[in-house]
Amino acid sequence: MEVKVSWNGPSGMSFRAQTGSGHMVAMDGAPEGGGHNLAPRPMEMVLLGTGGCTAYDVVLILKRGREDVRGWVFTRINFHFVVTGRNLKPGAVERAVALSHEKYCSASIMLAKTATMTTSFEIVEV
């Protein structure tokens, strides 16, 4: 599976995500965090996905009437950041990515318990 998440710009904390299957999803932050509350929070999306995944499995199992359940889990995830700006310092970008994955982003910290996670980034000067 693959998704692409893009920041909508410097006037807030809204993001758009495109799934590998071609669907678009919006996310936004709370006003106190610089967002405009125009879409679900990223962590709400994690809960949505988890609930949907579980519900899908249960419905599918019930429809088929079988008890031989097989689950799956992500085992490897790479986050590649393409950061666009002016005079960005590579060390600052690397630190921001590391802090997010190691300290602030609950979703990455949770996923890291079952998957090997790697990060990479590139800086595009504008």
Side-chain angles (χ1 to χ4, degrees):
M1 285 185 211
E2 186 174 320
V3 298
K4 179 180 179 182
V5 178
S6 301
W7 182 35
N8 288 331
S11 65
M13 294 302 291
S14 67
F15 300 86
R16 64 188 173 282
Q18 182 171 1
T19 67
S21 57
H23 299 282
M24 298 296 289
V25 177
M27 295 176 279
D28 197 4
E32 60 270 17
H36 299 288
N37 197 32
L38 297 175
R41 311 287 188 272
M43 282 305 295
E44 290 175 327
M45 297 297 291
V46 170
L47 290 175
L48 266 165
T50 303
C53 182
T54 300
Y56 182 93
D57 287 344
V58 171
V59 169
L60 187 64
I61 292 163
L62 291 173
K63 280 186 172 185
R64 291 184 178 167
R66 297 184 182 172
E67 294 184 44
D68 184 12
V69 179
R70 307 291 170 107
W72 60 270
V73 65
F74 290 109
T75 58
R76 284 182 287 146
I77 301 169
N78 179 62
F79 289 93
H80 180 72
F81 295 85
V82 179
V83 184
T84 305
R86 293 189 179 130
N87 301 315
L88 294 167
K89 296 179 185 92
V93 174
E94 183 175 32
R95 181 176 182 271
V97 169
L99 281 171
S100 173
H101 283 281
E102 296 167 7
K103 185 174 181 180
Y104 295 111
C105 180
S106 305
S108 333
I109 293 165
M110 177 182 62
L111 287 170
K113 296 188 183 304
T114 60
T116 301
M117 296 182 68
T118 57
T119 61
S120 57
F121 69 89
E122 63 184 279
I123 296 173
V124 176
E125 186 74 21
V126 292

